Amino acid sequence: MPASPDLLALDGGTPVRREPFPTVSDSSGRRIGAEEEAAVLDVLRSGRLNSTVGQVTRGLEQDFAARYGVPHAVASSSGTSAIHLAVAALDPEPGDEIITTGLSDAGTVLPILAQNAVPVFADVDPASGNLDVASVRDRITPRTRAIIAVHLFGQPAPVAELRELADSHGLVLIEDCAQAYLTATSPDGALAGTVGHLGCFSLQQSKHITAGDGGLTITADDQLARRARLFADKAWPRDTDERTHLFLGLNYRMSELEAAVARVQLTRLDAVVEDRRRTAKLLTDVVSGLDGLGAAGDDGTVYWQFPIFLDTDVTGVDAHWYAEALRAEGIPAVGGYIQRPLYLTPVVAEHVTYGTSGYPLTCPPADALQSYAPGLCPHTEALIGGRLLVVPWNENYSSQDVTDIATAIEKVHRGRPGR
Ligand SMILES: *Cc1c(COP(=O)(O)O)cnc(C)c1O
């Protein structure tokens, strides 16, 4: 007798899907074509591979600034470096505090430590995983210098409110837009990255557009832009004739080869975002109909990946169970997004920074020493612990791909234990 179509693959039933899905890890889930090839060849043949002698990186910066309607974009070597440029541009004093989220890529937090500032973690909104404004407000102290908000999975973080909060306390707001190209932050359409003082983007393999690695930092502030640019180039003021170094900077330059790819990728961005949003809508319609599961509000969301928020009181099983059951059905899925909040990783929790010093985490006066321990951000921990289910997404998903994902989610939802 054939297995019932309802029997979960986890329990020996037939998987919903046997074909692999398009993935951002290779060309199946990417849009990289003849134009990128030609652009890279042009750079190679010119012999000008470094941005200090070529014009392609400067061109990318101009194109990116124009797309965002801001005066300045500064290219760098990664999303992490793009955030490091932003933090360095505001030049914190050692021990100054920067409030951010524990539910992100480490690239959000490492630049804070590298610049000798202290990360302070605020909790997130359980419905989106984005920073909760009230929690940020609670964690402001006289030592706070900046806020780094992440637009998680491309969902708009409440940056208008955070900007107001920042302005009323004299703080700088940095937007981490690594997952949020063309995210609209509000009905009036302000793009993520243009509401704060600085916006930071990544061109790493898995993002909406890629050059393998790479980063971009945007700002409307001339002074911040100048410091960011200098920081990425050894603080060498090449616009003067002096060979000197104005402050402690590094070499975070993007190469012309990466810029050549990125510049073409940028021309594909609008279509990439449109296609991701169109297919995501199909899954949103299905997920929203399932008791105990919630999709992202799709207003301005650009779906770096597709997050599903569980009410585990209703579902009875957590996101880690759903992920395992979905993988058995042939659907890639991850429970929790990351395995632990950033404040519980060794670099932060155990102060594994510079030698055995623990700097900068051990520098502040005793009353300002942070304790990074379980319980610090309960909603963050609940999402990672089992309320957040993540389905990988990309611009090359077909309607059939989404139908298979939806079918599998409905199947495991109906067949979950205890139901
Ligand atoms: C990818 C990512 C980064 C870091 O970007 P890299 O290019 O990998 O250095 C930072 N923040 C978020 C939210 C990211 O998704």
Side-chain angles (χ1 to χ4, degrees):
M1 208 177 79
S4 137
D6 293 339
L7 186 65
L8 300 187
L10 203 57
D11 300 328
T14 307
V16 169
R17 168 98 174 196
R18 296 198 186 271
E19 297 284 297
F21 281 83
T23 166
V24 294
S25 297
D26 63 36
S27 59
S28 65
R30 305 277 54 182
R31 292 196 185 154
I32 301 171
E35 295 85 347
E36 283 86 348
E37 284 179 30
V40 170
L41 267 182
D42 279 351
V43 169
L44 277 174
R45 288 175 178 153
S46 76
R48 290 186 292 267
L49 276 57
N50 187 288
S51 65
T52 57
V53 294
Q55 281 306 315
V56 183
T57 308
R58 298 293 86 83
L60 168 67
E61 291 172 339
Q62 281 163 17
D63 293 352
F64 199 75
R67 180 64 188 83
Y68 273 84
V70 294
H72 307 287
V74 182
S76 62
S77 57
S78 70
T80 305
S81 65
I83 295 167
H84 198 174
L85 264 58
V87 173
L90 60 104
D91 199 21
E93 294 296 327
D96 277 1
E97 295 169 1
I98 298 184
I99 300 174
T100 189
T101 168
L103 186 57
S104 184
D105 180 86
T108 308
V109 167
L110 300 176
I112 299 173
L113 293 168
Q115 213 52 29
N116 277 313
V118 171
V120 171
F121 293 89
D123 208 354
V124 298
D125 177 346
S128 67
N130 278 325
L131 272 179
D132 174 63
V133 179
S135 178
V136 173
R137 184 183 297 111
D138 278 351
R139 294 187 188 190
I140 294 175
T141 75
R143 305 174 73 88
T144 307
R145 194 61 210 289
I147 300 164
I148 303 181
V150 175
H151 300 276
L152 195 65
F153 306 119
Q155 306 166 101
V159 281
E161 292 95 318
L162 288 172
R163 175 68 197 245
E164 225 173 274
L165 185 66
D167 286 345
S168 69
H169 288 80
L171 311 177
V172 172
L173 176 61
I174 297 169
E175 293 178 71
D176 178 345
C177 306
Q179 306 178 359
Y181 283 94
L182 304 186
T183 291
T185 60
S186 63
D188 74 17
L191 290 178
T194 66
V195 179
H197 299 80
L198 296 130
C200 306
F201 297 80
S202 166
L203 293 161
Q204 184 262 348
Q205 176 79 39
S206 74
K207 314 301 182 179
H208 289 75
I209 54 175
T210 185
D213 268 311
L216 287 151
T217 305
I218 61 173
T219 182
D221 183 300
D222 297 347
Q223 284 305 109
L224 290 173
R226 178 166 170 76
R227 273 197 67 91
R229 183 172 295 289
L230 283 166
F231 182 73
D233 191 19
K234 309 171 192 173
W236 180 346
R238 291 179 198 262
D239 51 354
T240 69
D241 281 334
E242 262 188 299
R243 181 158 187 161
T244 186
H245 304 280
L246 300 174
F247 56 84
L248 176 56
L250 295 166
N251 176 356
Y252 272 155
R253 295 187 305 253
M254 178 183 284
S255 92
E256 293 284 278
L257 291 167
E258 293 165 311
V261 175
R263 208 174 175 188
V264 179
Q265 286 275 290
L266 182 57
T267 67
R268 306 190 193 279
L269 178 60
D270 285 80
V272 162
V273 166
E274 202 178 301
D275 287 345
R276 285 178 181 239
R277 281 175 52 79
R278 178 177 44 75
T279 50
K281 173 88 171 67
L282 306 173
L283 187 57
T284 298
D285 290 346
V286 172
V287 167
S288 317
L290 301 178
D291 234 23
L293 302 191
D298 71 356
D299 298 359
T301 301
V302 297
Y303 299 94
W304 175 61
Q305 303 198 53
F306 190 103
I308 298 174
F309 301 91
L310 273 66
D311 181 343
T312 44
D313 290 340
V314 174
T315 59
V317 288
D318 71 12
H320 301 287
W321 181 86
Y322 274 85
E324 198 191 338
L326 285 169
R327 288 194 300 266
E329 301 293 343
I331 311 299
V334 175
Y337 170 42
I338 51 176
Q339 293 182 353
R340 53 183 64 79
L342 294 172
Y343 54 82
L344 296 182
T345 58
V347 52
V348 180
E350 296 161 31
H351 307 168
V352 188
T353 51
Y354 299 98
T356 55
S357 68
Y359 292 173
L361 299 169
T362 51
C363 292
D367 70 331
L369 282 179
Q370 301 292 314
S371 126
Y372 304 107
L376 187 59
C377 299
H379 293 309
T380 299
E381 292 173 29
L383 285 165
I384 295 169
R387 285 207 49 248
L388 174 59
L389 176 64
V390 184
V391 179
W393 213 252
N394 65 66
E395 52 274 21
N396 292 350
Y397 274 13
S398 65
S399 336
Q400 186 58 52
D401 292 329
V402 180
T403 300
D404 288 347
I405 295 169
T407 302
I409 291 175
E410 284 181 304
K411 179 182 173 187
V412 305
H413 185 67
R414 269 190 273 107
R416 67 190 190 275
R419 172 119 192 296

